[in-house]
């Protein structure tokens, strides 16, 4: 679906919303198409669609957050609901990839400034009634939360890794910034430390570590395939 400006919109429960991950993934595909073909129409459309990400963005103390504007219940269970507006580490990471790559290609400082403000959101730790997407566990490992609920940590694997890709894209345009490198290495260290907990020997990997979620949601073939590809890319990094 599209809005009056031809921006892509995501339909949920019969309503259309600006969905940060949905829009970001379209843009990232356009960027990949441009890099493969050198067809500037792909880049122009990617830049145009990037404006859609900023329509509902919320800026706070040099940090930008990209909201979901509908309520979403985790695992269809009913007991844990993300209430609009809510924020996701996966969304922040995907958007970070978008603006980092647009800067890398165009050298437009506007994209660099936006990407820096998105990166800053990864430095804001849990606080009630404030947006946040990262936390540190009892063993001092750094996590990026796809579903940040204060007092609850689902530790969703694919969303965390997508966010790491965002940090990596930002690192590529800030390779002399030790703070960026530290957060990237901290994220990679967490995956290396905990990845075995997601493994089910002889079976599909776990979507998250929220143990009371039903098995049909926690073990799915499509997410197992995503995990496999993501881990290969982390190895390459």
């Amino acid at each position: 679906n599209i809005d009056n400006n031809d921006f892509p919109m995501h339909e949920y429960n019969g309503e259309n919303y600006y969905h940060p991950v949905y829009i970001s993934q379209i843009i990232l595909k356009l960027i990949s198409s441009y890099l493969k073909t050198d067809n500037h129409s792909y880049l122009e459309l990617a830049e145009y669609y990037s404006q859609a990400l900023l329509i509902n963005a919320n800026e706070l103390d040099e940090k930008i957050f990209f909201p979901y504007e509908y309520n979403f219940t985790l695992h269809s269970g009913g007991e844990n609901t993300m209430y609009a507006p809510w924020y996701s580490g996966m969304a922040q990471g995907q958007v970070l990839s978008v603006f980092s790559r647009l800067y890398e290609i165009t050298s437009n400082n506007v994209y660099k400034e936006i990407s820096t403000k998105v990166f800053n959101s990864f430095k804001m730790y849990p606080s009630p009634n404030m947006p946040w997407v990262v936390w540190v566990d009892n063993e001092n490992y750094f996590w990026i939360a796809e579903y940040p609920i204060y007092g609850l940590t689902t530790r969703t694997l694919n969303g965390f890794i997508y966010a790491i890709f965002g940090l990596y894209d930002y690192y590529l345009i800030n390779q002399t910034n030790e703070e960026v490198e530290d957060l990237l290495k901290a994220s990679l260290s967490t995956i290396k430390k905990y990845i075995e907990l997601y493994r089910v020997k002889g079976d599909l990997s776990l979507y998250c570590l929220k143990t009371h979620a039903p098995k049909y949601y926690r073990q799915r073939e499509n997410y197992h395939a995503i995990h496999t590809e993501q881990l290969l890319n982390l190895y390459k990094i």
Side-chain angles (χ1 to χ4, degrees), residues 75 89-90 143-147 154-165 187-188 190-200 204-210 218 223-231 234:
H75 303 305
M90 177 176 173
W143 292 82
I144 304 173
E146 181 173 352
Y147 304 110
T154 62
R155 292 184 285 181
T156 305
L157 182 60
N158 85 95
F160 185 4
I161 298 178
Y162 276 126
I164 293 176
F165 295 157
S187 302
L188 293 168
T190 301
I191 298 296
K192 185 176 180 180
K193 164 75 173 178
Y194 288 99
I195 191 60
E196 287 293 336
L197 296 182
Y198 294 90
R199 184 188 179 205
V200 180
L204 302 174
S205 55
L206 298 178
Y207 174 81
C208 71
L209 298 182
K210 186 168 179 275
R218 296 180 72 222
Y223 281 109
H224 183 75
I226 289 171
H227 294 160
T228 302
E229 183 177 0
Q230 287 181 322
L231 289 170
L234 290 187

Side-chain angles (χ1 to χ4, degrees), residues 35 106 146-147 181 185 191 200 203:
L35 294 174
T106 68
E146 181 173 352
Y147 304 110
E181 183 176 350
K185 287 182 175 179
I191 298 296
V200 180
D203 204 344

Side-chain angles (χ1 to χ4, degrees), residues 82-113:
M82 309 296 300
Y83 291 101
W86 60 278
Y87 306 92
S88 168
M90 177 176 173
Q92 296 295 117
Q94 295 268 267
V95 175
L96 184 56
S97 283
V98 165
F99 287 106
S100 297
R101 292 185 191 183
L102 286 177
Y103 172 74
E104 188 173 29
I105 293 168
T106 68
S107 298
N108 185 333
N109 281 325
V110 171
Y111 297 139
K112 180 70 174 292
E113 292 168 6

Side-chain angles (χ1 to χ4, degrees), residues 24-42:
S24 293
Q25 291 187 347
I26 291 173
I27 295 171
L28 292 171
K29 288 177 182 177
L30 288 168
I31 292 172
S32 293
S33 295
Y34 165 70
L35 294 174
K36 289 177 181 178
T37 66
D38 202 33
N39 184 333
H40 279 261
S41 62
Y42 289 121

Side-chain angles (χ1 to χ4, degrees), residues 121-178:
S121 71
F122 291 93
K123 300 186 289 181
M124 191 164 182
Y125 292 91
S127 176
N129 303 316
M130 295 291 287
W132 61 274
V133 295
V134 303
W135 61 286
V136 175
D137 68 19
N138 292 333
E139 294 189 63
N140 212 32
Y141 281 89
F142 177 82
W143 292 82
I144 304 173
E146 181 173 352
Y147 304 110
I149 297 179
Y150 193 72
L152 173 72
T153 52
T154 62
R155 292 184 285 181
T156 305
L157 182 60
N158 85 95
F160 185 4
I161 298 178
Y162 276 126
I164 293 176
F165 295 157
L167 288 178
Y168 181 64
D169 284 329
Y170 186 67
Y171 165 76
L172 291 177
I173 61 172
N174 291 277
Q175 294 189 40
T176 60
N177 188 322
E178 291 185 3

